[in-house]
Amino acid sequence: MKFVAFNVREDERRYFEEWSKETGIEVSLKKEEITPDNVSETVGYDAVIGLQTGLYPDNLFKELSDANIKVFSVRNVGVDNINLDDAKQNGIAVTNVPAYSPSAIAEFSVTQLLQLLRNQNLFRKRMAKQDYRWAPFVGKELGKMTVGVMGTGRIGRAAIQIYKGFGAKVIAYDPFHNPELEKEGIYVEKEDLLKQADVITLHMPATDDDYHFINEKTISMMKDGAYIVNTARGALIDTPALVEALRSGKIAGAALDTYENESSIFNHDLEGQEIEDETFKELIKLDNVVVSPHIAFYTNVAVENMVKISLNSAKEVIETGTSSTLVK
C-alpha cells in the first residue's frame, strides 16, 4: 500500500511522517496542488491525499482511475469543489475529515466577532497615528445580544456553547435538528432567525440551496445594525450585496474567514502585487470588516487531525471497502 499527498505544507510534514512510521505505509509528499500536468505522478500509488480550496482538474477521476487509484481522501470538511458524480462513475471512493477540530473554528469565529464589537480595526488605525482617544467608538457587549447560529453540526454546537458562556441568547436554524438542542427549544425558522438575531454566524455547508444565502433579500430581513460572521464557505455570501449593506450601515460589521473567490488570494504571498479582484479590494478597505485568510481551522490539533484522519480513512477504505468518513 502506497499513498501520495499533494499540496503538503511544512507544518503538516511531521504528521505525515509520524503516521508513515507508525503504519509502515509509504507516503510520498508533494508541495504542489494536483493539476493536469502532474496527475500522472499518481501512477503506482493506491490513494491520493488532497487539499485545495479551488476546483480540482476536469477529468481528474478518469485519470486517477486509469492510474489505478482507489481512494481520493481530502484532509478537510468541504467537498463542494469535488465532482462526486465523476468520482462515483470512475469507481473512486472519496473521503473527507468531517470533524478535525470543531472547537478551533468555533473559538476563532467568536474571537473575530469580539474584534468587531469592540471596534478593533478603528482603534488599530488610530493608534498607528498615535491617536489614543476612545470616543466615539463605544463597544457592544456580546452577553446582551441574540446570536443566530445557522447550522448546528459539530462546529455550530461548539459555537453555541461558547456563546452561552458569554451569556448571550442563542437561537438556531438547521433543517436537521439535534435532539439535545431541540429539548432546549433554541430552534427557530430561518426567516425568524434573520429577523431576531443581532449576530448571524454561519456554520453550514455550501450547497446549491444555500448558495449566496446572505444576499440583498435576506439582508433586508435582518435587524438594522446586525453583524455577520462567516467561517464556513465563501459561497454562502453574495459579497457585493454585503459590501453595500456594510457601507449603508444596514449591517454593522462582518467577520469573514472565507471569501467566494479566495483561491487566488488566500494562502499566497501577494506583497507588492496588484490584486485584480475589485470586490475584495473594496471589502478589506472597510473599517467595519475583519478579514482573515481562511485560518479558523489552523491550530496544531486541527492540522494533526486533518492529516492523520485522512490517511486512516484511505487505509480503511482499501482494507475494508468503506469508512465512516466516506462521502456519499
Side-chain angles (χ1 to χ4, degrees), residues 279-293:
T279 301
F280 183 77
K281 289 196 289 187
E282 290 181 46
L283 185 69
I284 60 175
K285 287 178 184 176
L286 297 173
D287 291 332
N288 54 346
V289 176
V290 176
V291 176
S292 50

Side-chain angles (χ1 to χ4, degrees), residues 165-314:
F166 277 89
K169 177 183 177 181
V170 180
I171 57 177
Y173 172 80
D174 195 305
F176 306 101
H177 287 194
N178 175 273
E180 293 303 315
L181 292 179
E182 192 161 32
K183 291 177 185 176
E184 297 179 20
I186 71 170
Y187 283 111
V188 297
E189 293 300 319
K190 189 183 300 183
E191 292 76 12
D192 293 328
L193 185 147
L194 292 170
K195 294 175 182 177
Q196 296 174 25
D198 300 299
V199 175
I200 296 171
T201 180
L202 306 180
H203 300 289
M204 52 208 281
T207 64
D208 290 342
D209 290 340
D210 288 322
Y211 176 72
H212 284 181
F213 168 71
I214 300 295
N215 56 49
E216 185 176 355
K217 179 180 178 180
T218 53
I219 289 171
S220 71
M221 300 170 66
M222 298 176 194
K223 283 184 175 182
D224 291 344
Y227 293 84
I228 294 172
V229 181
N230 186 15
T231 53
R233 305 296 281 185
L236 294 171
I237 294 181
D238 178 348
T239 309
L242 176 61
V243 168
E244 181 58 34
L246 288 161
R247 284 179 171 158
S248 71
K250 170 65 178 179
I251 300 300
L256 308 173
D257 188 55
T258 60
Y259 175 67
E260 186 170 11
N261 302 308
E262 69 182 48
S263 60
S264 64
I265 301 172
F266 290 174
N267 204 28
H268 297 285
D269 182 359
L270 302 179
E271 184 175 1
Q273 300 179 43
E274 179 68 22
I275 293 176
E276 297 180 358
D277 189 324
E278 294 299 326
T279 301
F280 183 77
K281 289 196 289 187
E282 290 181 46
L283 185 69
I284 60 175
K285 287 178 184 176
L286 297 173
D287 291 332
N288 54 346
V289 176
V290 176
V291 176
S292 50
H294 209 141
I295 56 171
F297 79 96
Y298 199 41
T299 68
N300 56 342
V301 172
V303 171
E304 180 175 7
N305 288 343
M306 292 168 78
V307 169
K308 293 186 176 179
I309 292 173
S310 65
L311 290 165
N312 284 329
S313 296

Side-chain angles (χ1 to χ4, degrees), residues 46-269:
D46 300 287
V48 169
I49 314 298
L51 174 68
Q52 59 198 65
T53 55
L55 292 175
Y56 285 92
D58 291 338
N59 299 319
L60 170 65
F61 293 107
K62 173 64 169 64
E63 296 195 45
L64 293 181
S65 178
D66 291 343
N68 293 317
I69 294 293
K70 303 172 183 66
V71 188
F72 189 78
S73 182
V74 292
R75 49 193 194 276
N76 53 274
V77 178
V79 293
D80 50 294
N81 58 340
I82 297 174
N83 191 325
L84 296 174
D85 289 336
D86 275 0
K88 183 177 180 179
Q89 289 172 10
N90 285 283
I92 295 177
V94 176
T95 66
N96 69 341
V97 183
Y100 40 81
S101 181
S103 294
I105 297 171
E107 289 175 8
F108 189 83
S109 68
V110 179
T111 62
Q112 296 297 84
L113 172 63
L114 291 172
Q115 288 197 64
L116 286 177
L117 297 182
R118 302 306 292 268
N119 302 302
Q120 287 299 291
N121 263 1
L122 287 161
F123 283 117
R124 274 193 287 267
K125 289 180 180 180
R126 280 192 162 197
M127 291 171 65
K129 297 184 293 184
Q130 299 190 54
D131 181 350
Y132 299 99
R133 293 175 295 171
W134 310 333
F137 306 117
V138 63
K140 296 178 182 177
E141 295 185 23
L142 180 53
K144 303 297 182 183
M145 307 179 89
T146 297
V147 178
V149 178
M150 290 294 304
T152 58
R154 296 176 179 89
I155 298 169
R157 295 198 300 274
I160 286 170
Q161 293 307 311
I162 298 172
Y163 284 117
K164 285 181 178 179
F166 277 89
K169 177 183 177 181
V170 180
I171 57 177
Y173 172 80
D174 195 305
F176 306 101
H177 287 194
N178 175 273
E180 293 303 315
L181 292 179
E182 192 161 32
K183 291 177 185 176
E184 297 179 20
I186 71 170
Y187 283 111
V188 297
E189 293 300 319
K190 189 183 300 183
E191 292 76 12
D192 293 328
L193 185 147
L194 292 170
K195 294 175 182 177
Q196 296 174 25
D198 300 299
V199 175
I200 296 171
T201 180
L202 306 180
H203 300 289
M204 52 208 281
T207 64
D208 290 342
D209 290 340
D210 288 322
Y211 176 72
H212 284 181
F213 168 71
I214 300 295
N215 56 49
E216 185 176 355
K217 179 180 178 180
T218 53
I219 289 171
S220 71
M221 300 170 66
M222 298 176 194
K223 283 184 175 182
D224 291 344
Y227 293 84
I228 294 172
V229 181
N230 186 15
T231 53
R233 305 296 281 185
L236 294 171
I237 294 181
D238 178 348
T239 309
L242 176 61
V243 168
E244 181 58 34
L246 288 161
R247 284 179 171 158
S248 71
K250 170 65 178 179
I251 300 300
L256 308 173
D257 188 55
T258 60
Y259 175 67
E260 186 170 11
N261 302 308
E262 69 182 48
S263 60
S264 64
I265 301 172
F266 290 174
N267 204 28
H268 297 285
D269 182 359

